[in-house]
Amino acid sequence: MDIVNGPVPGGRAPVDELTAVQEFLAEERPAAASTVTEARRRLEREAAAKRGFGSRLRPDAVRPGRRRIVMAVLGAATAVSVAAGGYHAWVTRPLYHPEPLAAQSGPASDFLLAAADAKARHITDGRIWYVRKVRGLAMTISSIKKPGTAYQIVVTRNDYSVVSKDGKVDDGWNDEGQNDLDDGLDPHRVKSDDVRPAGPRDRAAWERDGRPDQQDLVFAEKIKGDELVIPRRGPEGREGGELDFGPEEARALPADPEELRAELLNYATRFDHRRLRNPDLYLFVHAPQLLIDDPVSDRVRIATYRILAALKGVRVVTATDPAGRTGRAVAMRETTREHGVIEWQLFIDPATGRLTASQGIVISPGTANAALRPGTAEFTEVVEQAEWTNKPADQLRPKWWNDPLRRASNQD
């Protein structure tokens, strides 16, 4: 039996859900005897009328046995209706409400508040929210050509999205024709090479292995599964649901930090309806998607930075991002049995308040990533563009998107 989370009125021990519902529905005091008598008479009159007797049959002429049956059925129906409505209200009630953000002090809070101020100085708007980024996932594989030899690789993929405010455009795709987009781009960008060695010590082994790409590894059964590995933001199955807002939901999010925090936490608990054990960690890991992925207003992004600045346990670190750039980042650590200790890092441009990259560094591996070396960036994301624009959607999509044959091939 699940246990009701959170404080219990009166300081009592936690109770199971059915008991909580019963207490929630319990009457504060019984009705007066005269009220009960009058209600019974009205019910009997209505029941007799519906059976076709009308006014010719007095309520007190109804046989006692039938009267008891009528009252039992009506009482049961009423109880079921009230209980169902009460239970639905109980399990869908908000678990979190707007409240003042915690006041934190220190380098991390200062860094994030400065990012909020920088974003406030660079508020933009447009018809379309455009994102281009590269995600990566590190893994250890055994050599194709030299059994007994293993090395670490990073599987990468370009991700794009074009979402318009009016809802007429909502495209998201990954790039199977990445070479079409290389011309004219920043030479320091992370190219989606499909597979690359995780570090210098892995490059030699990867080259001796014939520089295998993802198709080669799947064919050689070095990567399990029939489908290609898709890099993701982080491990699955963490506490709380994903913030998988649709475009309309994202645009409706409040720009007030206190209201936004409650909205995010209630959205995270909408399925199991359990308070999070560590809401600060959840927000640090999940809320940054509002900075990049969702078509929210820049004022919502400013509110997101202010939420992050109020979290406990956030530190400032100097680190190298997945694109090879060294700088300051804010970090928080998460410990699970499956992935051990992961340090989540967010890299932010202090001049513009834009999130430029994020990564999850393995501090000590767990059961699911035991083959990865400590210090490996298991989950990576480099943000190459994330901006409001008024450019036509066709100019933002990859070239192959406008080629019907190649588009069909890539979607297959």
Side-chain angles (χ1 to χ4, degrees):
M1 180 65 67
D2 292 333
I3 300 299
V4 178
N5 295 297
V8 180
R12 295 173 297 170
V15 296
D16 63 80
E17 293 177 350
L18 292 178
T19 303
V21 173
Q22 291 172 353
E23 293 181 355
F24 178 81
L25 299 176
E27 294 182 355
E28 295 183 359
R29 60 180 182 179
S34 59
T35 302
V36 173
T37 301
E38 179 59 24
R40 180 179 293 114
R41 288 175 177 172
R42 292 180 60 186
L43 287 173
E44 290 173 343
R45 285 197 297 269
E46 292 176 7
K50 290 183 179 180
R51 287 195 302 271
F53 293 103
S55 59
R56 291 175 296 175
L57 183 63
R58 301 191 316 273
D60 54 3
V62 179
R63 290 178 302 192
R66 179 173 293 178
R67 184 166 59 244
R68 285 195 296 271
I69 294 174
V70 171
M71 293 303 300
V73 171
L74 290 174
T78 302
V80 169
S81 177
V82 172
Y87 182 76
H88 177 75
W90 181 75
V91 299
T92 58
R93 75 196 189 285
L95 295 180
Y96 298 90
H97 301 278
E99 57 186 31
L101 299 180
Q104 304 295 337
S105 61
S109 180
D110 293 344
F111 183 80
L112 288 162
L113 290 175
D117 292 340
K119 175 58 68 176
R121 294 191 300 269
H122 294 83
I123 289 180
T124 61
D125 201 1
R127 189 178 62 85
I128 285 180
W129 179 247
Y130 174 57
V131 177
R132 187 178 78 232
K133 61 188 178 182
V134 179
R135 282 186 177 178
L137 177 66
M139 62 183 66
T140 299
I141 64 164
S142 56
S143 171
I144 293 176
K145 297 182 177 181
K146 299 185 66 175
T149 301
Y151 55 92
Q152 290 184 181
I153 61 170
V154 177
V155 179
T156 58
R157 186 184 73 168
N158 278 333
D159 280 341
Y160 305 84
S161 65
V162 175
V163 183
S164 64
K165 283 183 177 179
D166 59 13
K168 294 181 179 179
V169 178
D170 182 8
D171 297 329
W173 63 92
N174 62 79
D175 181 21
E176 298 294 341
Q178 61 266 18
N179 292 332
D180 287 347
L181 296 172
D182 288 341
D183 295 338
L185 296 179
D186 183 348
H188 298 294
R189 70 184 288 261
V190 177
K191 182 181 177 182
S192 180
D193 284 329
D194 186 33
V195 166
R196 59 180 172 84
R201 62 187 295 182
D202 302 297
R203 180 167 292 278
W206 179 64
E207 291 181 345
R208 287 194 300 268
D209 212 22
R211 302 168 65 94
D213 61 16
Q214 197 172 166
Q215 294 278 9
D216 297 331
L217 296 172
V218 171
F219 183 77
E221 297 184 351
K222 299 301 180 180
I223 295 181
K224 296 180 180 180
D226 297 329
E227 297 183 0
L228 299 184
V229 173
I230 300 177
R232 57 189 187 274
R233 183 183 298 275
E236 299 175 352
R238 291 175 291 179
E239 183 185 31
E242 294 293 328
L243 298 177
D244 51 351
F245 298 114
E248 292 185 2
E249 290 177 303
R251 287 190 289 270
L253 290 173
D256 178 81
E258 297 174 3
E259 294 180 5
L260 180 61
R261 180 183 184 276
E263 183 82 11
L264 298 180
L265 294 178
N266 284 323
Y267 194 91
T269 57
R270 68 195 187 282
F271 291 123
D272 61 4
H273 210 70
R274 300 183 181 206
R275 293 181 68 89
L276 302 175
R277 293 187 298 272
N278 192 339
D280 281 12
L281 177 61
Y282 176 88
L283 289 169
F284 188 86
V285 173
H286 291 267
Q289 79 172 59
L290 298 181
L291 301 174
I292 297 299
D293 294 328
D294 295 317
V296 299
S297 70
D298 278 357
R299 297 194 181 280
V300 172
R301 296 188 176 90
I302 295 170
T304 301
Y305 278 128
R306 298 194 182 283
I307 291 173
L308 295 177
L311 304 180
K312 298 178 182 178
V314 184
R315 301 177 296 113
V316 170
V317 298
T318 298
T320 301
D321 75 4
R325 302 166 297 198
T326 300
R328 291 201 304 166
V330 287
M332 182 180 280
R333 293 189 175 185
E334 178 180 23
T335 301
T336 62
R337 184 179 65 86
E338 293 80 6
H339 283 81
V341 180
I342 297 284
E343 181 171 277
W344 299 103
Q345 300 175 350
L346 304 176
F347 295 83
I348 302 166
D349 181 355
T352 62
R354 187 173 75 86
L355 181 68
T356 60
S358 62
Q359 61 187 10
I361 304 294
V362 178
I363 303 302
S364 59
T367 57
N369 57 357
L372 292 180
R373 298 186 299 268
T376 299
E378 182 174 5
F379 306 98
T380 61
E381 188 170 77
V382 175
V383 182
E384 295 176 346
Q385 275 186 268
E387 60 187 13
W388 285 107
T389 179
N390 289 314
K391 292 182 179 179
D394 286 344
Q395 293 183 17
L396 300 171
R397 296 170 175 136
K399 294 178 181 178
W400 59 260
W401 184 271
N402 297 314
D403 181 342
L405 294 179
R406 188 168 183 184
R407 178 179 176 183
S409 175
N410 281 304
Q411 289 178 336
D412 291 341

